[in-house]
Amino acid sequence: VSSPNSPGIMLERAETANHVKQRREFRVPYEIDMPALNAASGVSSIARLVDVSGGGVRIGSNETFEVGSQLVLTIEWPNDFEYEYPVRVLYARPPRPLHRTLGYGTRFGKLDAEAKKALMAFLSREILRLYPKELKALYPRSKGGRRPGK
């Protein structure tokens, strides 16, 4: 999430926006397979990235991860490099009827500067592309404008 003094768009939704009753941050779908390292056991497996927000990612996996466990996800962004993202598992969901994998919600840990920059660049591009109406609602233009003759 960008700070008030940094350039770029706000990646966190305003608490007062009508369309934000359920989620605080925009989610961006991005489905890729990626390595997921269980920090405690040292075991690496393949997980499926489902979507991304400024606070974390949702993944699917055939592996069982305990709530609270620490993972290191290696994510490659489009037209970019791979970066490592430490995450903590916040919740686990059983497979949905048409899915065969367990679902996990995660929260990012401390990110290094380059990984955070790559994440924010990806989210900025995709949020502008996917949520133009929601962004317009968050940043309405002023009704004043220029006065005639000025």
Side-chain angles (χ1 to χ4, degrees):
V1 179
S2 59
S3 70
N5 298 327
S6 67
I9 65 168
M10 178 180 71
L11 300 178
E12 186 173 295
R13 294 179 175 189
E15 300 270 341
T16 57
N18 290 332
H19 63 281
V20 176
K21 299 299 182 201
Q22 298 172 344
R23 302 224 173 268
R24 192 174 148 149
E25 298 178 87
F26 290 98
R27 282 191 178 189
V28 172
Y30 183 53
E31 295 194 20
I32 60 164
D33 290 332
M34 64 184 170
L37 174 69
N38 186 320
S41 70
V43 174
S44 186
S45 60
I46 298 298
R48 180 93 177 148
L49 182 61
V50 177
D51 63 39
V52 183
S53 75
V57 296
R58 188 164 48 116
I59 63 173
S61 179
N62 290 323
E63 297 295 319
T64 301
F65 301 120
E66 298 295 323
V67 171
S69 61
Q70 306 286 323
L71 308 175
V72 178
L73 307 177
T74 303
I75 302 173
E76 183 176 357
W77 303 113
N79 304 314
D80 205 344
F81 299 102
E82 288 183 343
Y83 299 92
E84 291 186 346
Y85 293 88
V87 298
R88 182 173 50 87
V89 176
L90 298 179
Y91 65 83
R93 297 242 165 91
R96 294 182 187 163
L98 299 177
H99 298 86
R100 294 189 175 118
T101 60
L102 298 164
Y104 298 96
T106 70
R107 174 71 57 197
F108 290 123
K110 184 167 174 51
L111 304 180
D112 76 36
E114 289 300 312
K116 186 172 185 174
K117 182 178 175 181
L119 169 67
M120 293 299 119
F122 171 77
L123 287 173
S124 294
R125 281 191 311 271
E126 292 300 301
I127 288 169
L128 287 169
R129 185 178 69 80
L130 293 169
Y131 299 105
K133 291 179 184 175
E134 291 87 344
L135 288 171
K136 188 174 182 177
L138 286 172
Y139 301 104
R141 292 190 173 129
S142 79
K143 295 179 183 178
R146 292 178 53 167
R147 288 185 271 163
K150 296 269 177 177

